Amino acid sequence: MDKKWVSGVGVIVLFILLSYLFIGFARHSARMGNIVKELSGQPSQDKPGYHIVLIEQERYHPYWEMVEKGAAEAAAKYGIEIEFTGPVRNNMEEQISLLEKAIAAKADAIIVQGLNDEKFTPVIDKAVNRGIPVITIDTDAPASRRLAYVGTDNVAAGEALGRMVVKTTGGKGKIGVIIGSELAKNQLQRLDGLKSIVKDYDGMEIVDVRSSNISHMEAIQQAADMLRYHPEIDVMVGTSSTDALGVLQASRSLKRGPLTIIGFDNQAETLDAISRGAITATVAQQPYLMGNMAVRLLHDYFKGAHLQTRYYTGVKVLDKTNVQEGESL
């Protein structure tokens, strides 16, 4: 009986020993597999990836859908979990609230606009003070402790709008401007850039500026009111993606013409209108590149890289001669 008991214990000990060796071998193999993946540029599965929150200005907007696409592809490449959130309708206070929630949830990093220095800077600094790196996208918050800015140089983009107005009018015209928001810094910077070009031409004058609040319907209403109140306007400029299309619809309803319309961004409807000659030109940003670069830079930062403070993604002026290039931005 004692011999049987000793024999049974020996079998159990041998089984435990073999199990231990097998588990150790499996762990070693998995570790080696992760090393091979990392060396080949694939994300390691040895530990969960970082969790990033990207807060958009407006969910399901074509512009932010392109930002999402670029960010999602970079996140998949580097094994990063990315969460997209934002107000369904443009709402700065809701963006601030979502930023606070991302901080409370202890995200590994946050990507957000810096639409208003007074409102956004303290909350961005709060995130950084709690060890959460922040990259601003589309609109910078340079007074904050953000890690870096990725996006358009908005003053330069406004200057590009101004140069296109000069090119198409010969430096003469009465100009009406629809901006996306009177509170958003990127919109005001584009307006400043436009004004800096127009002021150098005696034959050009900006006679009215109104806000669409990033709304197509409001862009139509504001453009219609402006054209009725200022029949002398012969050039209309929009500084956000829905503005030129709103102007176009308003001008058709009022049967106004001739009217030169210059817009912003590369929505499919805008590109189609340029192809047909209904809109003269647009200044297109690169939202896909913004999203992709922001995530890529955070990946580099997590790996210990030192980042610059600004990464400008550039703009492209599209007219009838090169409008097809806007489809790939």
Side-chain angles (χ1 to χ4, degrees):
M1 187 72 178
D2 290 342
K3 289 181 179 180
K4 288 182 179 180
W5 183 84
V6 171
S7 177
V9 170
V11 169
I12 292 170
V13 170
L14 181 61
F15 177 77
I16 292 172
L17 179 62
L18 288 172
S19 298
Y20 177 79
L21 291 172
F22 177 78
I23 292 169
F25 175 76
R27 286 177 176 171
H28 177 74
S29 297
R31 193 177 299 113
M32 290 302 296
N34 285 326
I35 291 171
V36 170
K37 283 185 176 182
E38 287 183 351
L39 290 173
S40 63
Q42 300 179 45
S44 168
Q45 300 301 319
D46 195 39
K47 59 182 180 180
Y50 292 99
H51 175 233
I52 295 174
V53 177
L54 194 159
I55 301 169
E56 304 171 16
Q57 185 174 23
E58 185 174 319
R59 292 300 307 276
Y60 316 116
H61 188 285
Y63 176 86
W64 286 101
E65 286 178 342
M66 288 301 295
V67 173
E68 273 194 28
K69 183 178 179 181
E73 290 189 9
K77 178 179 179 181
Y78 296 119
I80 292 172
E81 179 190 351
I82 187 160
E83 175 186 348
F84 299 108
T85 187
V88 175
R89 180 77 172 81
N90 179 37
N91 186 313
M92 191 180 297
E93 296 303 325
E94 189 174 344
Q95 278 183 284
I96 295 289
S97 176
L98 290 168
L99 179 53
E100 291 277 13
K101 287 180 181 179
I103 295 169
K106 298 180 180 179
D108 292 307
I110 299 171
I111 302 171
V112 67
Q113 289 176 297
L115 285 174
N116 178 285
D117 285 330
E118 183 179 349
K119 292 178 179 292
F120 278 79
T121 293
V123 191
I124 291 172
D125 288 350
K126 178 180 177 180
V128 176
N129 290 337
R130 295 191 180 185
I132 303 173
V134 176
I135 282 185
T136 51
I137 189 170
D138 179 78
T139 312
D140 197 9
S144 73
R145 297 185 60 202
R146 56 97 172 105
L147 186 63
Y149 167 66
V150 178
T152 300
D153 179 339
N154 286 295
V155 174
E159 292 170 352
L161 282 170
R163 286 190 291 271
M164 180 52 66
V165 170
V166 172
K167 179 181 177 181
T168 56
T169 65
K172 296 180 180 180
K174 302 295 184 181
I175 305 166
V177 183
I178 303 292
I179 65 172
S181 170
E182 295 172 336
L183 301 175
K185 187 169 66 173
N186 60 345
Q187 299 295 314
L188 298 175
Q189 287 173 330
R190 292 169 196 172
L191 179 60
D192 287 343
L194 171 64
K195 286 179 176 178
S196 72
I197 299 297
V198 170
K199 69 179 179 57
D200 292 332
Y201 293 84
D202 293 335
M204 295 174 65
E205 179 189 2
I206 295 175
V207 298
D208 201 354
V209 178
R210 302 193 184 195
S211 169
S212 66
N213 198 32
I214 316 292
S215 163
H216 178 64
M217 293 305 297
E218 199 162 336
I220 295 170
Q221 183 62 54
Q222 293 294 342
D225 288 348
M226 188 184 294
L227 290 170
R228 277 193 290 260
Y229 192 75
H230 296 284
E232 73 275 18
I233 288 176
D234 51 14
V235 181
M236 289 289 290
V237 178
T239 66
S240 73
S241 59
T242 57
D243 297 337
L245 294 169
V247 170
L248 178 59
Q249 192 164 337
S251 65
R252 285 175 172 171
S253 298
L254 296 173
K255 295 181 171 55
R256 273 292 307 267
L259 186 67
T260 298
I261 303 173
I262 298 173
F264 209 85
D265 285 330
N266 59 327
Q267 287 202 86
E269 296 90 342
T270 302
L271 301 180
D272 179 64
I274 292 173
S275 298
R276 294 183 283 104
I279 293 177
T280 302
T282 191
V283 173
Q285 302 181 91
Q286 300 191 65
Y288 173 92
L289 179 59
M290 288 183 203
N292 192 273
M293 183 181 289
V295 173
R296 178 157 39 92
L297 289 172
L298 282 171
H299 169 263
D300 292 346
Y301 175 77
F302 292 146
K303 293 291 186 180
H306 175 75
L307 303 187
Q308 302 173 28
T309 57
R310 291 182 183 86
Y311 294 83
Y312 289 135
T313 49
V315 295
K316 192 173 189 67
V317 177
L318 303 171
D319 58 21
K320 206 167 186 177
T321 65
N322 65 344
V323 65
Q324 69 284 350
E325 296 177 18
E327 299 173 3
S328 60
L329 296 175

